[in-house]
Amino acid sequence: MAYDYDDQNIFAMILRGDIPNDTVMETEHTLAFRDIRPQAPEHVLVIPKGAYVTHDDFALNASDAEIVDFTRVAGKICALLGVQPGEGGAGYRTLSNAGDDAIQEVPHYHLHILAGRNLGPMLKHD
Ligand code: AMP
């Protein structure tokens, strides 16, 4: 089943310039900006400019150019933040929530990049 894209979601509004954002990096296909409710000292969201809902939607339906651009921007953000473990940084976490079980709040694909403190275990267990 294909995804229905809700063009009234908040990231679509950001991409249209209807509401402001704290941009960290922008390219032809990708925008990276600071999360409005940061959950770590560094919390950046990377989003494609195209209308994709989840990681699988983007990975399966975006063009090669969009995917390469998005992936490179995510890497460049890690470099910009100085958190690359291979370069002496303290590390980071990337994650993307999709759908109900992951409690996805905004139905436009986004990659969270979190860093700046020990981020604890990947998931909390009940
Ligand atoms: P998710 O639960 O993975 O869909 O995460 C959505 C994220 O978007 C949350 O971390 C929110 O804090 C963030 N967010 C919501 N509205 C904005 C906004 N206007 N600017 C920046 N980040 C936002």
Side-chain angles (χ1 to χ4, degrees), residues 48-72:
K49 291 185 175 177
Y52 304 102
V53 179
T54 59
H55 175 78
D56 62 280
D57 187 18
F58 181 67
L60 295 173
N61 298 316
S63 68
D64 290 0
E66 291 174 296
I67 291 170
V68 168
D69 188 68
F70 181 93
T71 305
R72 292 267 192 250

Side-chain angles (χ1 to χ4, degrees), residues 4 46 54 61 72 80-82 90-91 93 98:
D4 283 329
V46 184
T54 59
N61 298 316
R72 292 267 192 250
L80 195 70
L81 298 177
R93 179 171 294 154

